[in-house]
């Protein structure tokens, strides 16, 4: 690897020697491929104490060897999710196709807010494919976003616009909107209600009964709010709860939303993608096609690189009404670059947007839909394998039955609750630090448990056994 290529004296920001730059870029590509191909040998490791100082801007001259710095300071200290035994949080692994996608995106540098260029057509194709997988009608719309947190804000604004048609200009005024969600709803819902000025005090958490939303409690809450002068407007369902991987009965929730005249939003950040899985896991999201909106991520259970999410909204008119705003300098034309309606800036928060869709498009073109269906199904099988293995080990015990891809357990159920919590927490940290596996922790019935959330296409059966052997060894020690 040679030094950084000299920049053009004419602009200062283009290589002076494109041939030399080509060699450097090829070297970087080789390093990136090595990183991915050798992911099993590259677990998370703690960053050295002086890493931030090394990254200080201006600490080195422009002719410093950039690739050597990337190799020594960037590639070793990743967040761990490329490794096949990373199950701590719901983070996708990234794909080899991302390397091709980001190079193409960098070379074209398209602003996906609108206008007439190839990336716009690509994003529409990705939205249309996703719409079909989720069972939404042709009248639905969507937009690629940073992730489910942003998608949730967009969906809730459309829901609010439905009941308060003048909200964009007059604000909420004296209207007090109320929303409803099962206990355990993701924090994205809370943040969205806060950001929109609705407030989490106006979120009603509904208990479950036999694994389903308690319909009688929901009806009572809605009736009481209406009697108190509030305006109920939103019901949120889970397609894959973050802690335990649980799924609401979405057909039941769709029925309730219709009966109570509520907008049904489904948080499908990772779990929506069971629509691609084999039985029985595919059935977990039956009813998602009846929602008014869905928030989902491609960078979780579709494995593509960060960041890439999407919001889908059943009624395009309602979606557009919540966001469309075009000042004169952004007026469309019938010819030229400013043609090609609609523009994506009319369907969300961003005017300046990168081409996120290209990562999804490249992945599906390179591997095919069936490969993703197989990987998602296999992740559920690995969680089931983990649960079965835990049941066979003395003193280990499951926290809850495995429903999809999340497994929670304790390393020693014979200990008192506090001792269990301390042991499980220590095991999680020890295995992270020694590079064996990444579990996170959660609390169930007051006990801190080990938690594996498997959205990792590199995980194999032997990884499950290896990790559980390490857990058992630490528990016995």
């Amino acid at each position: 690897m040679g030094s950084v290529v000299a920049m053009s004296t004419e602009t200062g920001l283009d290589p002076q020697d494109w041939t030399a730059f080509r060699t450097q870029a090829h070297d970087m590509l080789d390093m990136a491929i090595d990183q991915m191909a050798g992911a099993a040998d590259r677990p998370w490791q703690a960053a050295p104490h002086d890493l931030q100082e090394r990254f200080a801007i201006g600490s080195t001259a422009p002719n410093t060897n950039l690739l050597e710095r990337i190799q020594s300071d960037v590639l070793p200290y990743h967040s761990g999710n490329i490794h096949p035994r990373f199950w701590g949080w719901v983070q996708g692994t990234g794909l080899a196709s991302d390397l091709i996608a980001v190079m193409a995106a960098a070379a074209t540098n398209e602003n996906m807010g609108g206008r007439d260029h190839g990336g716009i057509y690509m994003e529409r194709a990705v939205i249309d494919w996703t719409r079909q997988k989720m069972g939404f009608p042709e009248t639905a719309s969507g937009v690629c976003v940073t992730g489910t947190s942003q998608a949730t804000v967009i969906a809730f604004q459309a829901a609010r616009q439905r009941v308060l048609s003048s909200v964009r200009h007059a604000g909420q005024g004296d209207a007090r909107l109320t929303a409803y969600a099962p206990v355990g709803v993701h924090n994205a819902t809370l943040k969205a209600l806060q950001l929109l000025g609705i407030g989490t005090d106006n979120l009603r958490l509904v208990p479950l009964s036999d694994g389903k939303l308690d319909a009688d409690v929901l009806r009572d809450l809605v009736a009481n709010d209406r009697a108190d002068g509030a305006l109920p407007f939103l019901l949120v369902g889970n397609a894959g709860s973050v802690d335990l991987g649980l799924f609401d009965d979405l057909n039941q929730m769709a029925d309730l939303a219709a009966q109570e005249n509520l907008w049904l939003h489904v948080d499908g950040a990772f779990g929506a993608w069971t629509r691609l899985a084999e039985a029985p896991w595919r059935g977990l999201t039956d009813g998602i096609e009846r929602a008014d909106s869905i928030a989902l991520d491609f960078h979780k259970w579709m494995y593509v690189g960060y960041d890439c999410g999407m919001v889908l909204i059943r009624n395009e008119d309602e979606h557009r009404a919540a966001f469309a705003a075009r000042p004169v300098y952004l007026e469309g034309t019938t010819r030229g670059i400013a043609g090609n309606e609609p523009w994506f800036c009319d369907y969300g928060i961003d005017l300046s947007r990168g081409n996120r869709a290209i990562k999804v498009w490249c992945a599906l073109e390179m591997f095919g839909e069936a490969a993703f269906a197989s990987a998602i199904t296999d992740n559920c099988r690995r969680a089931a394998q983990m649960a079965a293995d835990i049941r066979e080990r003395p003193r280990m015990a499951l926290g809850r039955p495995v429903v999809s891809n999340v497994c929670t357990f304790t390393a020693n159920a014979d200990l008192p609750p506090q001792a269990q919590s301390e042991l499980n927490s220590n095991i999680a940290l020890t295995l992270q630090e020694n590079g064996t596996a990444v579990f996170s922790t959660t609390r169930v019935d007051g006990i801190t448990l080990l938690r594996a959330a498997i959205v990792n296409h590199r995980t194999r059966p032997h990884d499950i056994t290896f990790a559980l052997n390490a857990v058992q060894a630490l528990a016995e020690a």
Side-chain angles (χ1 to χ4, degrees), residues 250-423:
L250 299 179
N251 276 312
Q252 178 218 24
M253 298 191 84
D255 290 340
L256 290 168
Q259 293 162 13
E260 297 296 338
N261 196 26
L262 302 172
W263 177 292
L264 176 60
H265 172 75
V266 174
D267 183 332
F270 70 94
W273 294 113
T274 58
R275 295 316 286 165
L276 299 183
E278 298 175 11
W281 298 288
R282 189 182 191 281
L284 293 170
T285 39
D286 285 351
I288 198 170
E289 71 280 359
R290 299 174 62 189
D292 291 293
S293 58
I294 305 171
L296 52 82
D297 288 325
F298 296 98
H299 58 231
K300 289 188 172 74
W301 224 356
M302 282 291 284
Y303 313 105
V304 305
Y306 283 97
D307 53 34
C308 187
M310 183 179 288
V311 60
L312 287 173
I313 293 183
R314 170 175 296 277
N315 187 319
E316 182 175 7
D317 291 339
E318 291 183 315
H319 190 176
R320 187 179 174 87
F323 292 97
R326 204 83 70 78
V328 292
Y329 64 88
L330 292 177
E331 286 179 353
T333 59
T334 57
R335 299 168 51 198
I337 296 176
N340 190 23
E341 294 287 344
W343 289 21
F344 285 121
C345 63
D346 289 331
Y347 295 84
I349 297 167
D350 302 327
L351 171 59
S352 299
R353 310 171 59 247
N355 189 347
R356 298 186 180 97
I358 194 170
K359 288 178 284 191
V360 182
W361 184 83
C362 282
L364 288 167
E365 287 293 301
M366 179 176 284
F367 302 111
E369 180 183 318
F372 289 91
S374 177
I376 292 164
T377 300
D378 189 68
N379 285 163
C380 293
R381 288 183 175 138
R382 297 290 71 77
Q385 174 196 345
M386 183 176 285
D389 194 336
I390 287 166
R391 284 192 291 265
E392 295 296 319
R393 293 174 185 258
R395 291 180 292 281
M396 282 192 191
L398 292 173
R400 286 288 185 273
V402 170
V403 172
S404 53
N405 64 321
V406 179
C407 182
T408 58
F409 66 102
T410 182
N412 189 340
D414 293 342
L415 296 175
Q418 182 60 33
Q420 284 188 57
S421 294
E422 292 173 0
L423 175 64

Side-chain angles (χ1 to χ4, degrees), residues 42-65:
R42 291 174 167 85
W44 175 85
Q45 59 177 311
H49 65 87
D50 64 340
L51 188 60
Q52 185 167 335
E53 295 174 16
R54 296 187 213 169
F55 284 147
I57 304 298
S59 61
T60 59
N63 64 355
T64 300
N65 193 319

Side-chain angles (χ1 to χ4, degrees), residues 3 10 140 158-159 234 240 374 408:
S3 6
E10 194 172 305
L234 174 70
S374 177
T408 58

